[in-house]
């Protein structure tokens, strides 16, 4: 049954990827050549198997008489997609190998193994187009010697935007979702930039899908929310903290969603909301706490004490309702009467009147006269003793 459903969606997937594998726009697009070994349609990386089993056989360019298990040569260039059958000698356990270049620039070569691990050898002189480097930079994916993990399904879902059944972006996002989590690291050697990655679609397939979705995204994407949602490493928390300086509306919307994430990320989202003085979010912060989320619970208690003093009456009522519904005993035990409140300012001193100033001047005059009289007396005594 699953097999039938897979083939039913193949035509939709082929239509969705027609823009991806059709003629590419301009010289900034890459030329890609890939050799798949025999049996790639049954490969362990499920995204590669789906590509070779469902998508490519339904393309008009599919060679006559070929089957899904036929060894295949694929070329994707500004001229479009070309498929031919030929078996190249690939090393043991190598599922696919190929090259990529931009215009007349140098070629990078890559090899994909049975377990989804893919190695790229990038010439140091290769200069990708600005659109590609900007995407890498915004996703913090261009740092060297730093392992990264990104959830391709989440990233593709955000880039595809709102979609309905049959939408081409939806089919692209589904294929990208089969790649799962992509873990990669890049480092520099004497002659190359080395990239090693692993996912259920290798590296080339998710990279191409994400680049295409980013290019065709219906709305401009913002890097910080994308990183906060899709990262599966330390950059996720870092992007959450950087939302402190982001656009007010977009950052708050992103932080609200992160209040539904794991315990550690809820903690970071609550801390960022507190620093933003987002008092209207206090009910949602309380709702994010539970016995299963001890870090979020501690953060919610601190947030309640920090934000209550500035919270509007309406938000306070919603917060009290959230406290009553909370599954956390620590939060339910808090007495709102003990929360910090603003100290009433001391009443202003009564304004000084003209009479009070006159009395003060008279007192100073009397004191001055007395001191002057004492000084004259002592001066007279001093002159008498000298005579």
């Amino acid at each position: 049954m699953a097999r039938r459903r897979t083939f039913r969606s193949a035509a939709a997937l082929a239509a969705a990827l027609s823009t991806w594998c059709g003629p590419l726009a301009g010289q900034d697009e890459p030329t890609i050549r890939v050799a798949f070994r025999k049996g790639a349609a049954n490969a362990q990386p499920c995204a590669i198997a789906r590509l070779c089993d469902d998508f490519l056989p339904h393309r008009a360019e599919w060679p006559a008489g070929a089957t899904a298990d036929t060894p295949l040569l694929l070329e994707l260039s500004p001229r479009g997609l070309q498929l031919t059958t030929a078996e190249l000698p690939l090393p043991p356990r190598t599922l696919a190998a190929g090259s990529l270049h931009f215009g007349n620039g140098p070629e990078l070569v890559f090899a994909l193994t049975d377990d989804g691990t893919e190695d790229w050898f990038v010439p140091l002189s290769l200069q990708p187009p600005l659109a590609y480097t900007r995407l890498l930079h915004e996703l913090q994916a261009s740092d060297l010697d730093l392992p990264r993990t990104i959830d391709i399904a989440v990233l593709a879902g955000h880039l595809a935007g709102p979609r309905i059944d049959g939408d081409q972006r939806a089919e692209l996002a589904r294929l990208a979702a089969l790649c799962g989590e992509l873990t990669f690291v890049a480092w520099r050697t004497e002659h190359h930039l080395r990239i090693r990655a692993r996912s259920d679609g290798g590296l080339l397939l998710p990279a191409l899908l994400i680049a295409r979705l980013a290019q065709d995204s219906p709305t401009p994407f913002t890097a910080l929310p994308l990183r906060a949602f899709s990262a599966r490493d330390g950059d996720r928390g870092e992007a959450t903290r950087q939302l402190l300086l982001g656009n007010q509306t977009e950052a708050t919307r992103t932080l609200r969603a992160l209040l539904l994430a794991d315990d550690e990320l809820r903690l970071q989202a609550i801390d960022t909301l507190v620093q933003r003085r987002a008092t209207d979010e206090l009910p949602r912060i309380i709702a994010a706490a539970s016995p299963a989320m001890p870090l979020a619970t501690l953060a919610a208690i601190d947030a309640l004490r920090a934000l209550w003093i500035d919270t509007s009456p309406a938000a306070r009522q919603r917060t009290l309702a959230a406290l009553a519904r909370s599954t956390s005993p620590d939060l339910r035990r808090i007495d709102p009467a003990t929360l910090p409140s603003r100290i009433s300012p001391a009443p202003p001193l009564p304004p000084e009147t003209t009479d009070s100033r006159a009395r003060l001047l008279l007192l100073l005059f009397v004191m001055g006269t007395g001191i002057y009289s004492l000084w004259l007396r002592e001066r007279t005594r001093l002159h008498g003793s000298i005579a």
Side-chain angles (χ1 to χ4, degrees):
M1 183 62 69
R3 183 77 169 178
R4 291 174 185 171
R5 283 197 298 269
T6 298
F7 275 104
R8 252 196 306 268
S9 65
L13 180 61
L17 289 177
S18 62
T19 56
W20 176 53
C21 290
L24 300 176
Q27 294 301 312
D28 283 347
E29 297 297 343
T31 295
I32 303 160
R33 298 182 179 90
V34 186
F36 292 98
R37 77 173 187 205
K38 181 179 180 180
N42 299 312
Q44 179 180 343
C46 56
I48 298 297
R50 175 77 179 273
L51 179 71
C52 295
D53 189 26
D54 282 354
F55 167 60
L56 293 177
H58 288 80
R59 293 287 303 177
E61 297 87 354
W62 185 253
T67 68
D69 289 332
T70 301
L72 193 67
L73 291 178
L74 177 153
E75 180 175 324
L76 179 62
S77 71
R79 297 188 305 273
L81 176 68
Q82 298 179 24
L83 298 172
T84 56
T85 57
E87 186 167 8
L88 297 183
L90 298 177
R93 299 189 62 247
T94 299
L95 178 61
S99 65
L100 180 152
H101 66 89
F102 297 93
N104 297 321
E107 285 188 331
L108 71 82
V109 295
F110 61 89
L112 170 67
T113 59
D114 288 330
D115 63 354
T117 300
E118 191 165 318
D119 283 289
W120 285 15
F121 299 82
V122 185
L124 298 179
S125 58
L126 186 142
Q127 294 292 332
L130 182 59
Y132 291 84
T133 56
R134 183 186 296 121
L135 179 61
L136 288 172
H137 176 72
E138 290 180 343
L139 294 177
Q140 293 289 297
S142 57
D143 296 334
L144 299 182
D145 304 308
L146 180 65
R148 291 294 320 280
T149 300
I150 296 176
D151 192 318
I152 297 298
V154 174
L155 183 58
H158 280 79
L159 291 175
R163 51 200 182 276
I164 60 176
D165 289 342
D167 190 333
Q168 293 185 352
R169 295 192 311 273
E171 298 299 333
L172 287 173
R174 289 190 184 105
L175 180 58
L178 290 176
C179 298
E181 291 188 359
L182 172 66
T183 300
F184 61 94
V185 63
W187 69 96
R188 190 183 299 272
T189 68
E190 184 178 355
H191 302 291
H192 295 90
L193 177 69
R194 284 288 309 276
I195 305 174
R196 171 164 290 183
R198 183 175 181 178
S199 80
D200 285 333
L203 176 57
L204 180 66
L205 181 60
L208 286 175
L209 289 170
I210 293 304
R212 178 60 65 183
L213 284 169
Q215 178 179 332
D216 297 335
S217 180
T219 56
F221 65 89
T222 306
L224 282 178
L226 277 183
R227 289 166 53 196
F229 286 127
S230 63
R232 291 297 179 267
D233 50 24
D235 186 59
R236 193 180 192 189
E238 177 61 24
T240 302
R241 288 187 288 271
Q242 290 181 16
L243 286 169
L244 175 65
L245 305 176
N247 173 270
Q248 176 71 29
T249 302
E250 186 176 44
T252 300
R253 186 168 56 243
T254 302
L255 291 167
R256 284 177 185 172
L258 294 176
L259 289 175
L260 303 176
D262 57 60
D263 192 23
E264 185 175 351
L265 199 59
R266 291 188 190 198
L267 165 67
Q268 293 163 346
I270 292 172
D271 180 64
T272 304
L273 285 169
V274 171
Q275 293 186 63
R276 293 183 71 96
R277 306 301 297 172
T279 55
D280 287 344
E281 304 305 313
L282 193 51
R284 293 183 176 87
I285 291 174
I286 298 300
S290 71
M293 303 286 174
L295 296 178
T297 300
L298 291 174
I301 293 172
D302 290 341
L304 181 62
R305 300 191 183 281
L307 297 179
W308 181 263
I309 193 171
D310 294 323
T311 303
S312 66
R316 286 190 178 188
Q317 290 300 319
R318 295 196 301 272
T319 302
L320 292 175
L323 283 171
R325 294 191 303 266
S326 176
T327 59
S328 169
D330 294 332
L331 280 169
R332 289 200 308 272
R333 280 196 294 265
I334 295 177
D335 182 1
T338 65
L339 295 174
S341 59
R342 294 196 180 278
I343 301 175
S344 299
L349 294 175
E352 292 185 348
T353 63
T354 305
D355 291 342
S356 63
R357 288 197 295 269
R359 286 195 298 268
L360 180 59
L361 290 173
L362 179 60
L363 177 60
L364 291 175
F365 175 75
V366 172
M367 291 177 61
T369 303
I371 294 173
Y372 182 68
S373 300
L374 293 174
W375 177 77
L376 286 177
R377 187 184 67 180
E378 292 301 322
R379 183 167 177 257
T380 303
R381 286 181 178 177
L382 179 61
H383 282 292
S385 62
I386 294 175

